[in-house]
Amino acid sequence: RSKSGGRRTVSFFNSAMMAETVARMELIAELRKAIEDQQFRLAYQPIVDISGRRRLAGFEALVRWQHPTRGVLGPSTFLNVATSAGLDGELCAFTIGAATRQMRAWLDDGLDPGYVAVNLSATELRDASVPARVVAALAANRLLPRHLEIEITENVVISQDPKIESNLEALHRLGVRIALDDFGTGYSSLAHLKRFPVDVLKIDQSFVRDMDTDPEDAVIARTIIRLAHSLDLTVVAEGIETEVQFAHLRRMGCDRGQGFLIAKPAMADQATEWLESRQRRVQGAM
Ligand code: C2E
Ligand code: MG
Ligand code: MG
Ligand code: MG
């Protein structure tokens, strides 16, 4: 009995694994086609000063896949597979190209969102052509380095990859700011912070989410803000969903904030409308 049961188990796992492999291969094929057919888009989410006026500081660009049948897909559904399929170069070219073109379009329309922040993964940053690609994108769109920020996560920092380090150094030397995303969730130590050319710390949204109910999260947020300021870095809180969180972060001296409370990520058209209505309001107030 146990023998045949064992065999059935084995064949069950095989067919499940087979189905998973097939699904994965289909996804990779779809992703290749998505790049070819330009199905990727960027959504933009405002980052504002944590002050009464909530002045716009910049926009973070977040990739979306306008899938032909499944609707708009977020990065969690395809980013890992895209990376393992070696499609990082294409994705990186897309995000940097699209974000800088959009920034130029806004400036041409008399709208100035400040800067656009682009997320790059460790594999994307390993590519030696990244600094040249950034320089070319800035030049093609007549932008200054301060118009662009690169967001990296802590696993980029702990990878200790000399290629990544030299790319980040090159970008930083150009004047492109580097932000450390999801700060507090990984293993980055102060030593890493010192070694990397970081300009901005982004407090991970998990600490912001429970800040008002979990005193430990509030302490972590406060500690990150103090750390950032003692190192002369700008600190941004992610995932602000309530006025209470916003007010709390403001009291703690956090510089900037981002989250559904201010605005959800929106496609370029809607982000532009948001920008226009804000600009009108600010001018109206003056
Ligand atoms: P992230 O860079 O930390 O981006 C913040 C994520 O939190 C985004 O999810 C955003 O939609 C979401 N978010 C923003 N405000 C709130 C809020 O108030 N509440 C909640 N619950 N969520 C909020 P998204 O767009 O699904 O992106 C997930 C992650 O995927 C990003 O985390 C980033 O690490 C990665 N990613 C996004 N776009 C790109 C890209 O173009 N390239 C690469 N390599 N990675 C990207
Ligand atoms: Mg980010
Ligand atoms: Mg984050
Ligand atoms: Mg995140």
Side-chain angles (χ1 to χ4, degrees), residues 260-271:
F260 295 171
L261 172 70
I262 295 118
K264 290 192 171 175
M267 304 316 275
D269 286 358
Q270 219 189 318

Side-chain angles (χ1 to χ4, degrees), residues 53 55 109-112 274-286:
R53 304 203 61 175
R55 188 192 64 88
D109 282 349
L111 301 166
D112 186 0
W274 186 89
L275 203 51
E276 281 169 345
S277 73
R278 262 182 88 93
Q279 192 144 313
R280 269 199 303 276
R281 233 174 37 224
V282 170
Q283 280 164 354
M286 285 193 300

